[in-house]
């Protein structure tokens, strides 16, 4: 995990004591499998080497004092007793919500001073929230002298976000943050919650995964995300299946839907699940370059059928492909955030430059580039 912000105050400077624990959890980038996680489907993310660290020390009272190394975020005090959804707002809701979800799970929490330090660019769609929830869970568990299975930690972090913070996300980000392994992709079946680690060493094949943070403002994200979920739930009711994952005959399903928008939403989810499994098969057979067109097909599906792309994301994808990328797609929830491109290592600099030029020519904010080497999941900071 990258070094912390060296100029901002340390735990000892803020709290006048030394931390007893330091826990870290990474952000993620999803190779493929978008919006499939709330449809019982498949996702294939990797953990970044960027993430969130939570340092902590026990307190004798039942209070959480939460500080951030980002100087503009003021310290907040939250009593552990009486935590309930809606009782804490703002960025500390992710921390307080995780404490609430741990207590609900039966963990006897202790009061704590907590310092949050993150290296994931904000608003990049690289899962800074899940990484904050998971590292908070790790620190609070360690301070309480308790432990839980990784799966429970991922699920309670998602519960904190769904119920306490009020964001209806699926379970991909929290699973990636807790279960990822360096040098691997994480194949997650979001129905059975089974995971498989798929070796992913692009450099050995002369390839690289370019992650581009468009820095596009996420307008309307929450409402649109919830609307996509609602469409999927509506289609499930009409089709009489348990989840869209269970649609085995796409043509028959499309024929029985009379709303064109619903039809397109269903086509994205069903085809995206197939694409995830196709990518896994190709990676396991060693045919890495062949996943390129599948990544690009995923983008077209999200742009045309799921309608979650935006001008900046399309510009990254189109520019990368025109500059020779083997495949490219937006990644994450959509409407801004990041896109990825699979490129030959020898083309990496050129593709990057071409994207910068295209953004400048379009009068857009300069995009950022993020290192996509697959890192490790959740654990104590070493
Ligand atoms: C966001 C959510 C995830 C997932 C993705 C889209 O990142 O938090 O659960 O639904 O969008 O794949």
């Amino acid at each position: 995990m990258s070094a912390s912000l060296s100029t901002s105050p340390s735990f000892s400077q803020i709290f006048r004591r030394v931390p007893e624990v330091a826990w870290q959890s990474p952000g993620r980038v999803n190779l493929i499998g978008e919006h499939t996680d709330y449809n019982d489907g498949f996702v294939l993310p990797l953990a970044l080497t960027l993430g969130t660290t939570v340092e902590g020390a026990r307190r004798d009272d039942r209070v959480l004092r939460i500080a951030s190394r980002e100087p503009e975020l003021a310290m907040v005090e939250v009593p552990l007793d009486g935590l309930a959804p809606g009782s804490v707002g703002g960025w500390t809701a992710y921390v307080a919500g995780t404490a609430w979800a741990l207590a609900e799970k039966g963990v006897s929490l202790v009061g704590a001073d907590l310092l949050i330090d993150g290296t994931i660019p904000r608003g990049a769609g690289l899962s800074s929230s899940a990484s904050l929830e998971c590292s908070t869970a790790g620190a609070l568990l360690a301070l309480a002298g308790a432990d839980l299975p990784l799966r429970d930690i991922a699920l309670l972090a998602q519960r904190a976000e769904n119920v306490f913070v009020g964001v209806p996300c699926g379970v991909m980000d929290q699973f990636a943050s807790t279960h990822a392994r360096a040098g691997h992709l994480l194949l997650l079946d979001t129905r059975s919650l089974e995971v498989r680690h798929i070796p992913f060493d692009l450099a050995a094949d002369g390839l690289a995964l370019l992650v581009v943070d468009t820095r596009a403002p996420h307008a309307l994200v929450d409402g649109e995300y919830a609307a996509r979920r609602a469409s999927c739930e509506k289609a499930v009711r009409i089709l009489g299946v348990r989840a869209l994952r269970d649609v085995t005959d796409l043509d028959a399903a499309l024929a029985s839907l009379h709303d064109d928008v619903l039809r397109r939403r269903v086509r994205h989810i069903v085809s995206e699940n197939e694409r995830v499994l196709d990518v896994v098969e190709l990676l396991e057979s060693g045919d890495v370059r062949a996943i390129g067109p599948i990544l690009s097909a995923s983008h077209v599906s999200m742009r045309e059928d799921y309608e979650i792309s935006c001008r900046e994301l399309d510009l990254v994808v189109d520019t990368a492909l025109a500059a020779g990328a083997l495949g490219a797609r937006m990644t994450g929830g959509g409407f801004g955030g990041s896109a990825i491109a699979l490129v030959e290592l020898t083309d990496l600099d050129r593709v990057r430059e071409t994207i910068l030029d295209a953004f400048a020519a379009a009068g857009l904010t300069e995009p950022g580039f993020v290192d996509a080497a697959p890192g490790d999941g959740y654990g104590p900071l070493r």
Side-chain angles (χ1 to χ4, degrees):
M1 191 138 300
S2 306
S4 57
L5 306 167
S6 52
T7 50
S8 48
S10 65
F11 192 96
S12 325
Q13 285 165 332
I14 295 173
F15 295 114
R16 308 260 157 238
R17 52 203 297 234
V18 290
E20 294 167 54
V21 301
W23 216 268
Q24 60 81 30
S25 234
R28 61 94 190 96
V29 66
N30 192 18
L31 184 68
I32 195 160
E34 226 63 81
H35 288 256
T36 44
D37 65 347
Y38 52 83
N39 287 293
D40 278 6
F42 301 96
V43 293
L44 193 61
L46 59 91
L48 298 169
T49 49
L50 303 175
T52 308
T53 303
V54 177
E55 291 176 287
R58 265 173 285 240
R59 292 173 59 85
D60 294 335
D61 55 13
R62 293 191 48 75
V63 169
L64 295 180
R65 280 202 298 173
I66 310 164
S68 165
R69 292 196 78 176
E70 289 190 46
E72 71 275 17
L73 300 176
M75 179 152 69
V76 175
E77 285 197 22
V78 176
L80 274 177
D81 300 314
L83 277 179
S87 63
V88 181
W91 70 278
T92 46
Y94 294 91
V95 177
T98 303
W100 167 81
L102 281 164
E104 264 213 325
K105 194 83 198 152
V107 176
S108 298
L109 293 174
V110 293
D113 287 336
L114 299 172
L115 178 61
I116 317 298
D117 189 5
T119 52
I120 305 171
R122 281 223 221 136
L126 300 174
S127 205
S128 55
S129 329
S131 117
L132 173 55
E133 292 147 15
C134 295
S135 48
T136 299
L140 290 177
L141 280 166
L143 291 172
D147 203 4
L148 285 174
L150 272 188
R151 174 191 287 211
D152 290 358
I153 293 166
L155 290 174
L156 73 84
Q158 182 204 17
R159 190 166 157 70
E161 187 151 346
N162 287 171
V163 181
F164 200 96
V165 182
V167 175
C169 63
V171 80
M172 164 169 72
D173 305 345
Q174 292 79 5
F175 259 79
S177 200
T178 46
H179 287 67
R181 190 180 286 170
H184 291 77
L185 293 160
L186 182 83
L187 173 63
L188 169 67
D189 176 336
T190 65
R191 169 170 283 167
S192 67
L193 299 181
E194 261 172 65
V195 300
R196 235 166 80 200
H197 295 98
I198 314 281
F200 193 56
D201 183 1
L202 288 178
D205 283 297
L207 293 169
L209 190 68
L210 185 61
V211 180
V212 186
D213 170 10
T214 61
R215 301 204 166 120
H218 289 235
L220 296 172
V221 186
D222 295 349
E224 291 292 339
Y225 188 92
R228 296 302 178 282
R229 274 195 87 136
S231 296
C232 292
E233 283 155 19
K234 186 168 177 196
V236 158
R237 285 193 298 276
I238 298 173
L239 296 171
V241 286
R242 181 174 156 200
L244 290 185
R245 189 253 184 76
D246 301 302
V247 172
T248 46
D249 184 343
L250 179 59
D251 289 338
L254 296 181
S256 55
L257 293 168
H258 302 297
D259 173 343
D260 182 54
V261 171
L262 270 197
R263 240 186 257 133
R264 287 187 287 125
R265 303 297 188 251
V266 169
R267 189 163 58 194
H268 167 70
I269 299 298
V270 174
S271 62
E272 185 78 351
N273 271 326
E274 281 169 15
R275 282 187 287 270
V276 176
L277 299 179
D278 290 348
V279 163
V280 170
E281 207 175 301
L282 287 168
L283 290 175
E284 291 193 319
S285 70
D287 200 355
V288 186
R289 284 177 174 74
I291 72 170
I294 306 180
L295 301 182
S296 303
S298 167
H299 186 74
V300 172
S301 177
M302 289 188 283
R303 191 185 63 209
E304 304 297 321
D305 281 350
Y306 220 59
E307 295 179 288
I308 53 172
S309 190
C310 65
R311 178 181 171 214
E312 292 85 349
L313 289 166
D314 290 343
L315 186 61
V316 174
V317 168
D318 294 345
T319 309
L321 290 175
L326 301 170
R329 63 188 285 278
M330 55 147 279
T331 181
F335 305 104
S338 297
I340 55 172
L342 181 69
V343 294
E344 301 286 352
L345 263 176
T346 47
D347 290 344
L348 187 57
D349 288 342
R350 195 169 45 79
V351 174
R352 217 187 267 133
E353 289 303 319
T354 315
I355 292 170
L356 284 172
D357 290 348
F359 270 63
L364 295 167
T365 307
E366 186 176 312
F369 297 97
V370 177
D371 182 11
D376 266 320
Y378 164 102
L381 191 68
R382 278 181 257 276

